[in-house]
Amino acid sequence: MFIGHFALGFAAKRVAPRASLAVLFGAAQLADLLWPVLVAVGLEQVRIDPGNTAFTPLDFVSYPYSHSLLTLLIWGALFAWVFRAPTRPRGALLLAALVVSHWVLDFVTHRPDMPLYPGGAKFGLDLWASVPATVAIETAMFVAGV
Ligand SMILES: [Zn+2]
């Protein structure tokens, strides 16, 4: 998922109005902020494979640290701890939930390549098999979030 993550960041602003929108976006997109760094240092792998899905040619070969459910729970706790002060008390929980929401939204869009934990089973509902459905759902989410 791409802009759908930002939809949740916008929606979260209503729940935690004192939280910076940048921090809310950062929470929802933390996995995708970590991912290119981990790919660059060789801990995670991606390859270009035209036709891999209808929506993106990226084949997410391995991304256990940035995109597994277990590591996102840990990243969420760390992110919430780091940014707890300006959003306390419910804001910290919201930030952790936003970090973990990334897995849920990517689970819906990705092929079955979303790991539960490093080395664990992978899941995905493959919304990216359909460009019209992807655009419709992501656009609707983004508009609703705004
Ligand atoms: Zn992602």
Side-chain angles (χ1 to χ4, degrees):
M1 183 156 286
F2 295 106
I3 63 174
H5 295 298
F6 292 97
L8 292 189
F10 278 121
K13 184 73 173 163
R14 176 163 249 175
V15 178
R18 289 181 39 220
S20 159
L21 197 53
V23 170
L24 297 173
F25 286 161
Q29 284 285 56
L30 185 63
D32 285 352
L33 294 171
L34 294 170
W35 175 70
V37 175
L38 295 174
V39 168
V41 299
L43 288 174
E44 298 191 341
Q45 289 82 40
V46 65
R47 68 186 187 101
I48 306 297
D49 177 27
N52 186 274
T53 71
F55 198 76
T56 175
L58 298 178
D59 178 9
F60 301 99
V61 176
S62 172
Y63 48 9
Y65 307 111
S66 67
H67 275 76
S68 76
L69 181 57
L70 176 65
T71 56
L72 282 171
L73 287 165
I74 295 166
W75 288 123
L78 289 171
F79 193 92
W81 182 76
V82 168
F83 291 99
R84 69 194 180 283
T87 61
R88 199 175 0 206
R90 68 180 177 181
L93 199 56
L94 178 70
L95 291 176
L98 279 171
V99 171
V100 176
S101 78
H102 193 99
W103 192 92
V104 176
L105 295 183
D106 277 5
F107 160 75
V108 172
T109 54
H110 284 224
R111 293 184 312 116
D113 62 15
M114 294 294 297
L116 283 183
Y117 53 89
K122 298 176 179 181
F123 299 91
L125 298 180
D126 203 14
L127 176 65
W128 280 345
S130 169
V131 172
T134 299
V135 171
I137 289 173
E138 292 224 30
T139 302
M141 284 181 67
F142 189 78
V143 169
V146 170

